[in-house]
mmCIF file of all heavy atoms in Angstrom:
data_model
loop_
_atom_site.group_PDB
_atom_site.id
_atom_site.type_symbol
_atom_site.label_atom_id
_atom_site.label_comp_id
_atom_site.label_asym_id
_atom_site.label_seq_id
_atom_site.Cartn_x
_atom_site.Cartn_y
_atom_site.Cartn_z
ATOM 1 N N LEU A 312 -93.621 -26.492 7.730
ATOM 2 C CA LEU A 312 -94.839 -27.239 8.060
ATOM 3 C C LEU A 312 -95.293 -26.754 9.426
ATOM 4 O O LEU A 312 -94.548 -26.821 10.393
ATOM 5 C CB LEU A 312 -94.550 -28.729 8.089
ATOM 6 C CG LEU A 312 -95.761 -29.637 8.347
ATOM 7 C CD1 LEU A 312 -96.800 -29.494 7.237
ATOM 8 C CD2 LEU A 312 -95.326 -31.100 8.467
ATOM 9 N N GLU A 347 -122.053 -32.452 31.315
ATOM 10 C CA GLU A 347 -122.019 -31.450 30.268
ATOM 11 C C GLU A 347 -121.299 -31.945 29.028
ATOM 12 O O GLU A 347 -121.788 -31.759 27.898
ATOM 13 C CB GLU A 347 -121.358 -30.154 30.789
ATOM 14 C CG GLU A 347 -122.174 -29.400 31.795
ATOM 15 C CD GLU A 347 -121.419 -28.219 32.394
ATOM 16 O OE1 GLU A 347 -120.193 -28.359 32.616
ATOM 17 O OE2 GLU A 347 -122.039 -27.170 32.609
ATOM 18 N N LEU A 384 -116.283 -39.294 27.558
ATOM 19 C CA LEU A 384 -115.195 -38.447 27.103
ATOM 20 C C LEU A 384 -114.497 -37.768 28.276
ATOM 21 O O LEU A 384 -115.138 -37.435 29.275
ATOM 22 C CB LEU A 384 -115.735 -37.347 26.159
ATOM 23 C CG LEU A 384 -116.277 -37.839 24.821
ATOM 24 C CD1 LEU A 384 -117.075 -36.704 24.176
ATOM 25 C CD2 LEU A 384 -115.143 -38.269 23.906
ATOM 26 N N ALA A 387 -111.113 -32.819 29.730
ATOM 27 C CA ALA A 387 -109.938 -32.067 29.383
ATOM 28 C C ALA A 387 -109.545 -32.224 27.928
ATOM 29 O O ALA A 387 -108.817 -31.390 27.376
ATOM 30 C CB ALA A 387 -108.759 -32.510 30.266
#
Side-chain angles (χ1 to χ4, degrees):
L312 183 62
E347 288 174 323
L384 294 166

